[in-house]
Every structure is written in structure tokens, then in C-alpha cells.
């Protein structure tokens, strides 16, 4: 379904989003969080500091459309786990995407921007996700709508930089020493943040590794 049609189909739905004020700089980090771990915390702390964000929203999704949902814990259970893991007061844990009725990031971003048109949103993702961003539905719409902060992950930096999305938007790259300006830049704009790395991953934790 085209993005515009998707937006109009849920435009009148009353959905509870975290509170945001005009002019704020807010990072959005979506994922299954199955389970949440210290790597998620590290990415969030890096983004808060380096991007000078007022808040970060952890958007706990009903399920990644590119992955199997077999044995996926309930949304409530995963949100509870997120709250137990993340104690930073500037981080909001939300599952509004379930009420939105779409698992696709492009539609989620469009809806959030429609609700809060005066807020500066930044999409936050790990370098592993950047490497495969071109497989996401309407990924070009994501990059065109809001700045993207890619946080380095062990073994993924070069693949992220060589990805289809990165090469397609090479001119929109913002050096990491200018990352504090990313939130207020006009999209497309993206940066790659270095810093402390975590080898943790939800997939490995589920496998008991």
C-alpha cells in the first residue's frame, strides 16, 4: 500500500504517544527488543550525548516484518523488560505502533511527524541495520523524512558505509564531529557515530550465546 494511503487510513485513530514539545530534539529507536540488552542502552546513551537530544523513544514494535515472529514474547512482556533494563529518565518506552496497525517504519515516522510537526526527530539505528536498510519497505522515504543517526556496531562499520543506503546518500553524510547539529538539519542527512562498542545482540542472547 502506498505510504500516503497508509497514513490516511490511521489518521483519525486516537493513539497515545509520548509527550513532546515544539523545538525538542527527540531520537526514535525502533525494534523488537527481544530481549533488550546493554547494547541498546549503550546506543541510546551515545545518541543522547553526541546528538544533544532531549529524549529518546524506544518504540517496541509488534514484530519485525523481515523476521519470523515464532516464539516472540508479547508486547507487554517486552515493554516490561525494556523498563527494567533502561533507567535513563530521558528515555520513553512506548508500544504505540501496535495501535497504529502497521509494522513498517516509514509509516510510523510519517505518523509521528504528523502528530508533532514542530519537533526535530532523528531515527537511531545500529550499523548492522544500516547495512540492510535498503531491504526495508519504502526505505528512501525514511531517509527523506528525517535525519538518521547510525551508531557503530562491532564488525559492521565498513558494511554500513558500503551499503546501498549510504552510497545513495553519500552527499548527505554529516561528519561525526558535527553530529550535534544532525537533529536540526534538513533531511536527507545522516551520520555514523563511533564510541564504545558492545558485542551483545538480541539474536545471540536468545540463542544463549
Amino acid at each position: 500500500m502506498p505510504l500516503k494511503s497508509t497514513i490516511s487510513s490511521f489518521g483519525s485513530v486516537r493513539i497515545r504517544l509520548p509527550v513532546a514539545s515544539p523545538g525538542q530534539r527527540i531520537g526514535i529507536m525502533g525494534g523488537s527488543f527481544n530481549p533488550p540488552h546493554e547494547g541498546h542502552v549503550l546506543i541510546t546513551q551515545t545518541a543522547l550525548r553526541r546528538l544533544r537530544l532531549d529524549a529518546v523513544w524506544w518504540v517496541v514494535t509488534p514484530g519485525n516484518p523481515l523476521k519470523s515472529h515464532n516464539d516472540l514474547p508479547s508486547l507487554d512482556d517486552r515493554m516490561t523488560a525494556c523498563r527494567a533494563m533502561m533507567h535513563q529518565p530521558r528515555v520513553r518506552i512506548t508500544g504505540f505502533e501496535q495501535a497504529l496497525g502497521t509494522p513498517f517504519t516509514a509509516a510510523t515516522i510519517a505518523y509521528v511527524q504528523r502528530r508533532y510537526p514542530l519537533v526535530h526527530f532523528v531515527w537511531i539505528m545500529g550499523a548492522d541495520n544500516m547495512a540492510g536498510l535498503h531491504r526495508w519497505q519504502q526505505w528512501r522515504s525514511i531517509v527523506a523524512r528525517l535525519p538518521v543517526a547510525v551508531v557503530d556496531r562491532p564488525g559492521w562499520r565498513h558494511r554500513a558505509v558500503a551499503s546501498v543506503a549510504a552510497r545513495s546518500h553519500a552527499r548527505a553524510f554529516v561528519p561525526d564531529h558535527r553530529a550535534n547539529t544532525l537533529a536540526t538539519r534538513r533531511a536527507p542527512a545522516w551520520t555514523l557515530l563511533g564510541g564504545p562498542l558492545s558485542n551483545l545482540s538480541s539474536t545471540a542472547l536468545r540463542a544463549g550465546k
Side-chain angles (χ1 to χ4, degrees), residues 147-176:
V148 176
V150 182
V151 183
D152 198 9
R153 294 289 309 278
W156 285 99
R157 185 181 187 90
H158 295 299
R159 279 178 279 185
V161 172
S163 68
V164 172
R167 287 186 284 108
S168 298
H169 295 85
R171 293 184 179 181
F173 180 72
V174 178
D176 62 355

Side-chain angles (χ1 to χ4, degrees), residues 20 22 27 69 84 126-127 134 180 187 189:
H69 295 179
H134 61 283
N180 62 336

Side-chain angles (χ1 to χ4, degrees), residues 49-139:
R49 183 181 70 256
R50 298 288 301 282
L51 304 178
R52 296 186 182 177
L53 300 176
D54 296 296
V56 170
W57 295 356
W58 279 16
V59 180
V60 186
T61 68
N64 187 327
L66 296 179
K67 297 180 181 179
S68 170
H69 295 179
N70 293 337
D71 301 321
L72 181 68
S74 71
L75 179 65
D76 286 343
D77 285 347
R78 286 179 285 129
M79 289 182 64
T80 297
C82 286
R83 293 188 181 103
M85 174 64 64
M86 173 52 80
H87 304 290
Q88 162 63 252
R90 289 190 289 161
V91 177
R92 306 287 183 264
I93 312 299
T94 175
F96 74 86
E97 205 171 54
Q98 184 174 61
L100 198 59
T102 175
F104 297 113
T105 298
T108 298
I109 290 172
Y111 180 79
V112 167
Q113 290 182 318
R114 184 174 182 177
R115 284 282 297 270
Y116 292 123
L118 300 181
V119 170
H120 302 292
F121 287 107
V122 177
W123 184 259
I124 302 169
M125 62 167 59
D128 52 334
N129 284 322
M130 181 64 168
L133 181 61
H134 61 283
R135 293 194 292 270
W136 295 21
Q137 186 188 69
Q138 300 186 17
W139 68 271

